[in-house]
């Protein structure tokens, strides 16, 4: 093709994508349907065969370093066994761990038996099989432990948020499972089942969601964070204990990081240090979450875990109209520390769309100096919103116009992302929209580690 025609074509494409001030507001065209939840008789919600068969199986990291796994599942008819039988691939020696079960009531709903069993002292980088249940209702799964914590260990995280249980949710999960980048664990950025969309927060939708995602989370850990749809606060019906269904169903290893609440905690995994925060718990000065984080950040040893990642449901930077500035109080409180400790990236959800910022901070402002514009900051995190899992509330299309300078790329489409750590200096990030082929990257970004790399990454270009 004639070179000038190519340049003309590229110019037209870039012109269509780029707004006058900020980065890219994608003009990708998509259907405007709000997706309904899948009916309860959908195959993705099928109850496994056999009396009292374990269902809703899910695993997450069970200690601070990655040698532990918490296995959780539900038995519907009677408590049954809380035992996990497990063995390393190519070995005959079967081991057992015994957990416990809990139940809870939510207004007129009584939960099934929710089992949690922590397996500890596993070998790193090893495939394990595990079995739950008894007799002909025994079910077998497997997982692979992460490599030993170390500075140059490659590892790939998937990123999924605000998933829900619609047909779009199913597309997102399928897309993640089929992505050739092969996420080894998911950082889940909050808002799981959307059961609270139903009258009296019908907790049967917590059960159906557990069955829906089992096909992934029984085989690789999802690292949980809580969103606003986990609050389940219904005091007029006697349900005044926030996060009750979530905290009974989703155990996390919070005590291993000195936390006093499952809503904020940390783990090390491969070359990453993951800090999970709670947007909907008290976080002001002197609160337990604040005290824990102030104690936690200085502990992070970037020589051991170069990649410092924060997960919190509500984004600190988002240029969509819906939920605009909801994260502002938390930004005022914590952004200064994210810059001070060179957090590489903050992953959030909540806004049902996709957005990636440049490296920006807005910490110079006090109430008198007027310095209140976000500016490029080579020590600041990139903020990424992946609230685009596909829940029944639909996508958010309305954007702040013109696109603010801090916003590098934004698009209201369903999808997921992957964060692929190569070594201590470099990680490759990509966002995948559901409508594309599995290997297509609708947005991507090379991360240069803030602690180990002195050269700024490409995000400086637009400032
Ligand atoms: Fe949310």
């Amino acid at each position: 093709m004639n070179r000038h025609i190519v340049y003309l074509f590229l110019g037209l494409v870039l012109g269509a994508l780029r707004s006058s001030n900020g980065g890219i507001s994608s003009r990708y065209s998509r259907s405007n349907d709000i997706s309904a939840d899948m009916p309860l008789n959908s195959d993705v919600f099928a109850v496994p065969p056999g009396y009292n068969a374990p269902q809703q199986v899910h695993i997450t990291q069970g200690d601070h370093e990655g040698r532990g796994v918490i296995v959780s599942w539900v038995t519907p008819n009677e408590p049954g066994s809380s035992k996990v039988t497990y063995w390393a691939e190519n070995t005959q020696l079967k081991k057992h761990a015994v957990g416990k079960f809990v139940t809870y009531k939510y207004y007129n709903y009584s939960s099934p038996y929710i089992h949690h069993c922590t397996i500890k002292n596993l070998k790193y980088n090893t495939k394990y099989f595990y079995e739950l249940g008894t007799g002909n209702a025994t079910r077998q799964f497997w997982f692979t432990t992460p490599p030993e914590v170390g500075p140059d260990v490659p590892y790939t995280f998937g990123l999924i948020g605000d998933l829900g249980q619609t047909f779009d949710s199913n597309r997102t999960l399928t897309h993640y499972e089929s992505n050739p980048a092969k996420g080894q664990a998911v950082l889940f950025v909050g808002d799981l089942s959307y059961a609270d969309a139903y009258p009296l927060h019908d907790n049967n939708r917590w059960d159906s969601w557990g069955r829906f995602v089992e096909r992934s989370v029984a085989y690789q850990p999802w690292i949980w964070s809580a969103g606003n749809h986990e609050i389940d606060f219904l005091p007029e019906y006697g349900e005044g204990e926030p996060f009750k269904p979530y905290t009974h169903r989703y155990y996390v290893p919070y005590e291993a990081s000195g936390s006093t609440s499952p809503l904020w905690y940390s783990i090390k995994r491969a070359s990453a240090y993951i800090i999970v925060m709670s947007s909907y718990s008290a976080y002001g000065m002197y609160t337990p979450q604040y005290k824990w984080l102030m104690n936690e950040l200085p502990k992070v040893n970037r020589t051991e875990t170069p990649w410092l990642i924060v997960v919190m449901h509500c984004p600190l930077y988002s240029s969509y109209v819906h939920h605009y500035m909801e994260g502002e109080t938390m930004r005022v409180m914590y952004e200064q520390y994210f810059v001070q400790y060179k957090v590489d990236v903050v992953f959030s959800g909540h806004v049902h769309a996709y957005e990636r910022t440049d490296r920006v901070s807005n910490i110079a402002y006090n109430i008198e100096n007027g310095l209140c514009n976000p500016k490029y900051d080579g020590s600041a995190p990139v903020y990424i919103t992946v609230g685009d899992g596909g829940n029944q509330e639909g996508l958010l299309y309305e954007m702040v116009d013109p696109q603010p300078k801090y916003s590098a790329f934004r698009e209201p489409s369903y999808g997921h992302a992957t964060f692929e750590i190569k070594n201590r200096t470099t990680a490759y990030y990509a966002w995948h929209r559901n409508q594309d082929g599995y290997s297509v990257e609708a947005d991507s970004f090379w991360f240069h580690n803030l602690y180990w790399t002195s050269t700024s990454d490409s995000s400086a270009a637009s400032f």
Side-chain angles (χ1 to χ4, degrees):
M1 197 187 294
N2 182 302
R3 200 173 54 176
H4 294 102
I5 295 175
V6 171
Y7 286 153
L8 179 64
F9 176 72
L10 280 173
L12 286 170
V13 169
L14 289 172
L17 285 170
R18 191 165 274 278
S19 73
S20 57
N21 280 345
I24 292 167
S25 293
S26 169
R27 301 286 168 84
Y28 178 83
S29 111
R30 61 197 69 75
S31 72
N32 198 19
D33 295 339
I34 291 181
S35 181
D37 276 353
M38 294 179 283
L40 283 174
N41 62 0
S42 303
D43 57 354
V44 295
F45 298 140
V47 173
Y51 173 75
N52 207 36
Q55 57 169 267
Q56 305 176 44
V57 180
H58 53 94
I59 62 170
T60 195
Q61 185 159 318
D63 64 358
H64 204 232
E65 280 82 27
R67 292 182 66 201
V69 171
I70 300 173
V71 182
S72 303
W73 70 98
V74 159
T75 49
N77 308 108
E78 57 177 275
S81 169
S82 293
K83 185 170 79 173
V84 177
T85 302
Y86 62 100
W87 63 97
E89 189 178 33
N90 301 323
T91 62
Q92 302 300 317
L93 180 65
K94 292 194 173 181
K95 294 184 176 177
H96 307 283
V98 179
K100 60 170 188 174
F101 71 87
V102 294
T103 60
Y104 72 92
K105 288 188 188 305
Y106 193 91
Y107 190 61
N108 60 356
Y109 169 92
S110 293
S111 79
Y113 305 94
I114 305 166
H115 302 258
H116 302 284
C117 179
T118 304
I119 309 173
K120 289 188 172 167
N121 299 317
L122 297 165
K123 285 196 193 108
Y124 285 117
N125 217 8
T126 303
K127 183 172 182 179
Y128 284 89
F129 293 91
Y130 67 101
E131 272 182 4
L132 312 171
T134 52
N136 65 0
T138 302
R139 299 184 68 203
Q140 188 183 109
F141 306 89
W142 53 263
F143 58 78
T144 303
T145 51
E148 185 171 2
V149 171
D152 290 301
V153 182
Y155 201 78
T156 301
F157 291 98
L159 291 142
I160 299 176
D162 303 69
L163 186 58
Q165 43 195 305
T166 70
F167 294 95
D168 286 311
S169 319
N170 197 22
R171 288 182 195 109
T172 300
L173 188 55
T174 303
H175 213 97
Y176 170 65
E177 292 169 309
S178 308
N179 185 339
K182 293 281 168 244
Q184 295 163 276
V186 167
L187 304 180
F188 192 87
V189 298
D191 283 359
L192 286 68
S193 74
Y194 287 74
D196 61 350
Y198 290 82
L200 296 169
H201 297 206
D202 182 0
N203 275 223
N204 288 296
R205 279 287 176 176
W206 273 108
D207 291 307
S208 58
W209 195 81
R211 294 195 292 273
F212 160 47
V213 296
E214 180 192 272
R215 69 187 204 226
S216 173
V217 71
Y219 299 92
Q220 62 170 244
W222 288 26
I223 310 304
W224 302 108
S225 64
N228 51 306
H229 288 279
E230 277 67 72
I231 301 174
D232 281 313
F233 183 61
L234 213 54
E236 59 273 35
Y237 289 94
E239 293 302 339
E241 179 192 338
F243 302 104
K244 190 199 225 177
Y246 172 72
T247 52
H248 279 81
R249 291 169 182 274
Y250 293 91
Y251 274 24
V252 297
Y254 65 97
E255 287 160 319
S257 57
S259 168
T260 51
S261 166
L263 301 171
W264 55 88
Y265 64 99
S266 70
I267 58 163
K268 298 179 207 172
R269 197 163 181 90
S271 45
Y273 201 101
I274 316 287
I275 291 180
V276 173
M277 295 180 67
S278 176
S279 300
Y280 306 100
S281 304
Y283 52 77
M285 193 82 84
Y286 316 122
T287 59
Q289 183 169 203
Y290 171 85
K291 285 186 174 177
W292 175 80
L293 189 70
M294 291 304 100
N295 205 28
E296 181 73 5
L297 283 168
K299 281 190 206 162
V300 181
N301 176 359
R302 305 293 280 271
T303 303
E304 183 189 42
T305 50
W307 293 94
L308 180 52
I309 298 169
V310 170
V311 177
M312 65 169 77
H313 184 62
C314 186
L316 301 192
Y317 285 91
S318 167
S319 69
Y320 287 84
V321 170
H322 208 70
H323 300 309
Y324 189 58
M325 289 186 70
E326 274 187 23
E328 187 64 4
T329 48
M330 194 156 227
R331 187 193 65 73
V332 169
M333 192 71 207
Y334 289 109
E335 184 183 29
Q336 56 189 308
Y337 304 113
F338 295 168
V339 174
Q340 180 185 343
Y341 288 96
K342 294 186 187 298
V343 171
D344 290 293
V345 56
V346 179
F347 290 115
S348 298
H350 197 44
V351 177
H352 298 162
Y354 171 69
E355 187 161 22
R356 172 175 58 82
T357 72
D358 286 321
R359 291 200 182 279
V360 290
S361 75
N362 194 7
I363 55 176
Y365 178 61
N366 62 34
I367 62 168
E368 291 158 12
N369 65 12
L371 301 174
C372 56
N373 284 322
K375 62 177 179 55
Y376 174 78
D377 186 337
S379 295
V382 171
Y383 295 88
I384 290 175
T385 301
V386 276
D388 54 353
N391 62 72
Q392 46 81 41
E393 290 179 350
L395 283 168
L396 299 174
Y397 296 93
E398 209 179 339
M399 304 176 189
V400 174
D401 188 39
Q403 186 171 13
K405 273 190 172 181
Y406 59 78
S407 174
F409 186 101
R410 56 185 187 174
E411 178 181 321
S413 288
Y414 294 125
H416 76 277
T418 50
F419 188 78
E420 193 178 339
I421 298 171
K422 306 283 191 189
N423 53 41
R424 77 182 67 193
T425 61
T426 309
Y428 184 69
Y429 164 84
W431 175 65
H432 299 257
R433 71 164 82 82
N434 286 357
Q435 290 91 339
D436 292 334
Y438 296 128
S439 59
V440 174
E441 296 161 352
D443 181 39
S444 62
F445 186 74
W446 283 98
F447 276 82
H448 300 297
N449 186 280
L450 286 190
Y451 183 86
W452 285 101
T453 315
S454 55
T455 53
S456 60
D457 49 34
S458 56
S459 82
S462 62
F463 277 80

